[in-house]
Structures are given as structure tokens and as C-alpha cells.
């Protein structure tokens, strides 16, 4: 096992689909990272055309200037800047001209001051052109040789780092033999020792990552992987937002990897808790609680929510916001309680509501108040980051509140249906996607349920 004595990577990947962060947001990110002692930033926004679709073209002088500014800003803050390129959609591995174009791009970035890189072969078709198969035998070998050539020619002598993202980058893909039989074994054998590899865990979005799973992986790839952690990524479902803490990774995992890099929410401002709790996890000694770390992160985040109005966002408001948009597989405590109360009130008769009705009413009013306060936040990007989701939550809760009052006043859906003026057919909850979702849904175990079942 060899990770070539490189420093342990702790940081952020700008690696999601969708609108990349702005330059100003990136500079802000670097400030947060420096304060949190996170040491690595990887630039690889999927929808920067030159990162993937136009990987063959060099950057223009203007574009390069933006990257140069980031490289310098990283250097000033003691952060390693990594530039990521993803040629896998269209590259012909065996064609000399292709290698030349790749070399030119690396050279351009090296000249701009970048010394570390990532070459990404994720999310590409699981197939190879015949010429490539004839030349290399397998996709893994073609990709490894491409990475080795660049590394040996341009990076090794500069003490530059290269991270390789395999085509099967999680255990489920490897088990499905995505990328070919024994892809990871081939990577272990062919990828140069000094090159690192990315891994997202058992799944693309891994709820938990165990020490044992990584020991098995290390045996295949013959090095410790760098975690590409998608726990907070929301590009696959933009109706959601993940404001909860880093979690589901035991402290012992830190010895089994060469670094932790998170690829978080597309909305830059939504990532403060993710970053701060990652830093807290990485610095923890003895025991560590993700919920406690979350509380600390929210307290540190609160001043960012100053408003133009008299009414300020409170820590309890922020906890409610965070709990309502927590993690992919988990709601926060307050959201779980709110959900239980709503379920009870919707399904039981008012005589059995007990103390739940007051608690729920208070929470609904709090969400309505929070939605209003957020519209008054000075930092507009912060407000825009949540507006869509908070708006939707408020709408649903106000509907529930109306339904609750109607039920309490003796309303009975069996005799006289409830109507809300805000929910006219075809407006809220309308559109093709919602209708498709009603035709096909999923059980809790992930199995599919067609509408007529
Ligand atoms: C992926 C993509 C990543 C995306 C994430 C979440 C990797 C290595 N690649 O598969 O760009 O943001 O899922 O949708 O994770």
C-alpha cells in the first residue's frame, strides 16, 4: 500500500451537476476552509463545458485568468488547488492526437500555477471502442495508462498530485461489474503508485461507510482511497437540500483513507454546516457526536442570517430549518416530531389530538415566521439558497393548518370535502413530474410500486 507520503486531504469538491459556483462564492469558500483548516479544493464542476464536453479545447485567456486567481487564492491560504478534467465521455484512448490534447490542457494549467490534478472517469458509458479494446484490452487499463502517462510526464517531478476517479466508484457499481470484470483489481495492478483514487463508499450517496468495507477495497486497489463523499450532494434531486451534519462515518475510518473530500449542495450558501461538521469530525479525539457538532455549527452560522427587519432568525429557527432539510436518509429531530404530529392530526379525530395540536400549531407558525424572516436576510444568496424549499414547506404546512382548523370545527371529509383556495387543481403540486410520480412510487425498501397496485 502506497500513498507516496502525501499530505492527508481534507476539503471540498466542486463536482456537482448544474450551475457552478460563482468566483465570489469560491473565494468565500476558501475563507471558510482556511478557518476550518481544510486543506484541499478540487475544481471540477460537471457543467463547466471545458471540464467535460469540451475537454479537448484549451481555456481562453479570460477563462484562464479566473482559474489563475483561484490558484493564487488557494496558495495564499495554504490550500492545495486541484484541477479536475473528465475526458471519458468521448476520448479515444488509443489515438495519439487525443493524448496530445490532454497533455496540452494539463500544460496550460501547470503554466497557470496548478500542480495537482484529478482525472475523472465517473458517469461515463460502460463501453469501449474496438480500437481501444484492441490496444489496451480493458477500460481500466486504458484509463490507467492515460493517467500514468500524464502523471509521469508532467506531475511526478513537480511533486504534483493526481487523483483518479474510477468508472465504478462505489461498491454497488463494482459488484455490478460496471466498467468490466475485475476493473478495480486492474486499477490496483496498473495505476502508478503515486496516483490516488476516489471512492464514494458502498453507494454513490452512502448513508454509512464502514472501516471493513475500506479494508476490502484497499486490497483490490492497493492504496488507501480518497473519499469523494456525496452525503450532502443534492444535484440528483434539486427539490431537496442537505443542511444536516457530517455523519455515518466512524472516527476509525480516518486511518483507512488518504483523505475526505465532500461534494456538497449545489447552493453554495447551504454548505456551512456540512463543512464545519466535517472539520469537527476530522479534528475529533476520543468520541464525537454528529448531533452535537451540528448544534455548534448552527450557532456559528447564525450571525450570517442577520436581517434588515426587527425580527431576527433565532437558533431555534435555524435548528428547525436544518432539521427539516437534514440528510438524504434522515430527518432532524424537530422535523421527525413535526411529521409525527401531522400524521396523528390528519388521521385521528380532534378529541384524541391532545397536546400535539398546540405543539404543531406553534411549529407551523414558526415556519411561517421563519419563511418571512428569511426574505429579510441581508445576504440575498443565503435567502435564495433556501427560498424554493422553505416556500414549499410553508405552503404544505399552511394547508395542513387550515385542514386542522376545519376538522376541529366539525368538518368531515366523508360528508363534505375540504377545499383550499390555494390548491386549485393544476396549480400547486401540478405538472408532469408530479403526475409521473403518482404513477410510479417506491416502497421503503426501494422496490417499485406501479399506480394500480
Ligand atoms: C455522482 C457524480 C457527482 C454527482 C454525485 C451526486 C461522483 C464521483 N460523480 O455520481 O458528480 O454530484 O453523483 O449526484 O460522485
Amino acid at each position: 500500500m502506497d500513498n507516496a507520503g502525501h499530505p492527508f486531504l481534507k476539503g471540498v469538491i466542486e463536482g456537482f451537476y448544474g450551475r457552478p459556483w460563482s468566483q465570489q462564492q469560491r473565494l468565500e469558500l476558501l475563507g471558510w476552509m482556511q478557518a476550518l483548516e481544510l486543506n484541499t479544493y478540487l475544481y471540477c464542476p460537471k457543467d463547466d463545458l471545458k471540464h467535460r464536453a469540451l475537454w479537448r479545447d484549451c481555456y481562453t485567456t479570460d477563462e484562464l485568468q479566473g482559474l489563475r486567481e483561484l490558484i493564487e487564492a488557494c496558495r495564499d491560504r495554504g490550500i492545495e488547488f486541484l484541477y479536475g478534467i473528465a475526458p471519458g465521455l468521448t476520448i479515444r484512448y488509443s489515438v495519439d492526437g487525443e493524448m496530445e490534447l490532454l497533455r496540452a490542457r494539463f500544460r496550460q494549467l501547470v503554466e497557470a500555477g496548478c500542480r495537482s490534478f484529478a482525472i475523472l472517469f465517473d458517469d461515463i458509458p460502460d463501453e469501449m471502442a474496438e480500437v481501444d479494446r484492441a490496444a489496451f484490452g480493458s477500460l481500466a487499463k486504458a484509463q490507467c495508462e492515460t493517467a500514468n502517462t500524464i502523471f509521469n510526464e508532467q506531475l511526478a517531478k513537480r511533486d504534483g498530485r493526481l487523483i483518479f476517479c474510477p468508472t465504478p466508484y462505489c461498491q454497488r457499481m463494482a459488484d455490478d461489474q460496471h466498467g468490466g470484470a475485475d476493473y478495480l483489481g486492474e486499477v490496483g495492478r496498473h495505476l502508478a503508485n503515486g496516483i490516488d483514487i476516489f471512492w464514494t463508499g458502498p453507494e454513490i450517496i452512502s448513508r454509512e461507510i464502514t472501516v471493513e468495507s475500506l479494508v476490502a477495497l484497499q486490497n483490490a486497489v492497493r492504496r488507501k482511497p480518497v473519499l469523494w463523499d456525496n452525503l450532502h450532494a443534492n444535484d440528483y434531486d434539486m427539490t431537496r437540500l442537505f443542511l444536516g451534519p457530517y455523519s455515518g462515518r466512524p472516527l476509525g475510518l480516518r486511518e483507512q483513507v488518504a483523505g475526505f473530500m465532500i461534494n456538497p449542495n449545489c447552493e453554495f450558501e447551504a454548505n456551512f454546516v456540512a463543512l464545519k461538521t466535517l472539520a469537527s469530525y476530522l479534528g475529533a479525539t476520543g468520541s464525537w457526536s454528529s448531533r452535537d457538532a451540528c448544534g455548534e455549527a448552527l450557532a456559528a452560522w447564525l450571525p450570517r442570517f442577520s436581517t434588515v427587519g426587527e425580527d431576527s432568525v433565532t437558533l431555534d429557527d435555524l435548528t428547525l430549518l436544518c432539521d427539516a432539510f437534514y440528510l438524504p436518509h434522515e430527518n432532524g429531530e424537530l422535523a421527525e416530531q413535526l411529521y409525527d404530529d401531522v400524521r396523528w392530526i390528519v388521521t385521528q379525530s380532534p378529541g384524541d389530538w391532545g397536546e400535539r395540536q398546540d405543539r404543531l400549531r406553534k411549529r407551523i407558525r414558526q415556519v411561517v415566521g421563519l419563511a418571512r424572516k428569511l426574505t429579510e436576510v441581508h445576504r440575498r444568496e443565503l435567502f435564495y439558497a433556501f427560498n424554493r424549499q422553505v416556500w414549499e414547506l410553508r405552503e404544505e404546512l399552511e394547508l395542513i393548518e387550515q385542514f386542522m382548523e376545519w376538522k376541529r370545527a366539525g368538518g368531515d371529509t366523508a360528508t363534505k370535502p375540504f377545499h383550499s383556495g390555494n390548491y386549485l387543481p393544476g396549480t400547486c403540486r401540478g405538472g408532469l413530474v408530479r403526475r409521473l410520480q403518482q404513477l410510479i412510487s417506491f416502497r421503503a425498501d426501494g422496490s417499485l410500486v406501479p399506480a394500480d397496485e
Side-chain angles (χ1 to χ4, degrees):
M1 207 165 300
D2 183 10
N3 283 65
H6 279 135
F8 192 80
L9 300 181
K10 304 183 280 185
V12 176
I13 304 172
E14 184 179 341
F16 47 81
Y17 291 88
R19 187 192 193 107
W21 291 330
S22 69
Q23 189 77 348
Q24 201 189 339
Q25 289 173 330
R26 292 179 184 133
L27 295 172
E28 180 109 41
L29 169 75
L30 298 178
W32 293 0
M33 288 177 57
Q34 183 179 25
L36 294 170
E37 297 182 16
L38 298 175
N39 62 13
T40 311
Y41 164 72
L42 167 56
Y43 174 92
C44 57
K46 281 274 188 300
D47 293 312
D48 165 355
L49 279 173
K50 293 203 172 157
H51 165 65
R52 259 190 344 154
L54 299 181
W55 68 267
R56 292 184 180 85
D57 301 359
C58 277
Y59 282 106
T60 64
T61 314
D62 279 357
E63 290 166 343
L64 200 59
Q65 186 46 35
L67 289 167
R68 199 174 272 129
E69 188 187 10
L70 283 181
I71 293 167
E72 276 163 24
C74 280
R75 192 177 305 127
D76 291 348
R77 291 169 178 75
I79 294 169
E80 185 75 10
F81 175 92
L82 269 79
Y83 176 83
I85 187 161
L89 283 175
T90 54
I91 191 170
R92 286 283 162 264
Y93 299 93
S94 54
V95 174
D96 284 348
E98 298 280 75
M99 206 56 216
E100 260 322 300
L101 293 168
L102 201 56
R103 281 191 182 99
R105 175 67 78 77
F106 274 76
R107 211 176 299 124
Q108 194 183 30
L109 267 296
V110 166
E111 280 163 19
C114 178
R115 64 166 187 175
S116 292
F117 291 81
I119 186 158
L120 308 174
F121 294 110
D122 58 323
D123 295 3
I124 58 171
D126 179 23
E127 60 201 28
M128 257 185 120
E130 268 318 308
V131 276
D132 291 342
R133 184 167 304 284
F136 295 101
S138 71
L139 188 62
K141 186 136 188 268
Q143 294 171 347
C144 288
E145 296 215 350
T146 305
N148 291 348
T149 303
I150 292 286
F151 182 69
N152 292 331
E153 286 179 8
Q154 300 197 35
L155 308 180
K157 56 180 174 290
R158 291 193 172 80
D159 202 22
R161 194 150 180 170
L162 182 63
I163 313 182
F164 173 97
C165 184
T167 295
Y169 49 87
C170 70
Q171 194 56 49
R172 185 171 45 80
M173 290 178 175
D175 292 345
D176 291 347
Q177 302 212 333
H178 186 65
D182 197 30
Y183 177 104
L184 294 175
E186 288 212 54
V187 167
R189 288 188 290 279
H190 298 301
L191 194 66
N193 268 345
I195 303 179
D196 288 291
I197 93 158
F198 273 131
W199 186 246
T200 66
E203 294 290 340
I204 300 175
I205 318 292
S206 296
R207 180 179 192 158
E208 288 176 349
I209 303 178
T210 63
V211 167
E212 299 73 45
S213 69
L214 284 202
V215 173
L217 175 74
Q218 288 167 17
N219 288 333
V221 298
R222 303 188 189 176
R223 68 207 80 203
K224 293 180 178 177
V226 175
L227 273 195
W228 169 308
D229 204 327
N230 287 320
L231 187 64
H232 292 86
N234 69 341
D235 54 0
Y236 59 90
D237 183 352
M238 298 282 303
T239 64
R240 301 185 70 190
L241 209 51
F242 300 115
L243 309 181
Y246 196 63
S247 78
R249 285 81 176 118
L251 291 185
L253 203 63
R254 297 175 304 182
E255 278 88 67
Q256 304 303 333
V257 298
F260 286 81
M261 304 275 297
I262 56 170
N263 175 42
N265 293 284
C266 301
E267 294 82 357
F268 168 74
E269 287 284 350
N271 292 316
F272 187 85
V273 175
L275 261 75
K276 175 124 172 92
T277 54
L278 169 70
S280 152
Y281 164 86
L282 290 172
T285 49
S287 65
W288 182 76
S289 143
S290 66
R291 188 70 186 167
D292 291 350
C294 187
E296 284 164 26
L298 291 174
W301 199 19
L302 187 60
R304 212 168 165 82
F305 287 80
S306 74
T307 59
V308 297
E310 307 266 278
D311 247 3
S312 40
V313 177
T314 65
L315 189 56
D316 193 50
D317 289 338
L318 208 50
T319 309
L320 182 58
L321 180 68
C322 166
D323 282 5
F325 303 101
Y326 204 64
L327 290 172
H329 313 88
E330 205 184 330
N331 292 317
E333 282 168 27
L334 299 182
E336 233 7 79
Q337 187 188 65
L338 180 95
Y339 178 81
D340 278 350
D341 286 348
V342 170
R343 194 173 48 177
W344 184 266
I345 277 162
V346 165
T347 56
Q348 307 296 313
S349 47
D352 297 326
W353 287 355
E355 61 182 21
R356 287 177 187 263
Q357 61 177 311
D358 272 350
R359 187 166 67 194
L360 178 59
R361 215 171 272 122
K362 275 200 199 118
R363 282 296 181 208
I364 293 179
R365 287 292 103 203
Q366 190 180 3
V367 170
V368 173
L370 171 61
R372 190 186 45 72
K373 290 179 201 175
L374 287 176
T375 65
E376 298 183 351
V377 160
H378 282 111
R379 288 181 187 277
R380 304 316 287 158
E381 284 300 323
L382 188 57
F383 163 59
Y384 300 142
F386 308 118
N387 178 47
R388 228 165 102 137
Q389 285 81 0
V390 172
W391 181 286
E392 192 174 33
L393 177 64
R394 177 184 53 71
E395 286 278 315
E396 294 296 336
L397 288 176
E398 283 189 313
L399 175 71
I400 285 160
E401 193 180 37
Q402 285 173 18
F403 180 61
M404 182 173 164
E405 297 313 332
W406 175 83
K407 222 174 147 179
R408 204 168 59 97
D412 180 356
T413 44
T415 53
K416 186 169 177 288
F418 167 80
H419 285 280
S420 162
N422 295 339
Y423 277 73
L424 298 176
T427 57
C428 297
R429 297 194 195 175
L432 177 63
V433 173
R434 299 282 179 129
R435 287 181 63 209
L436 291 172
Q437 285 170 345
Q438 284 158 14
L439 287 180
I440 289 186
S441 53
F442 292 93
R443 293 192 191 88
D445 70 355
S447 58
L448 190 146
V449 193
D452 59 359
E453 217 181 68

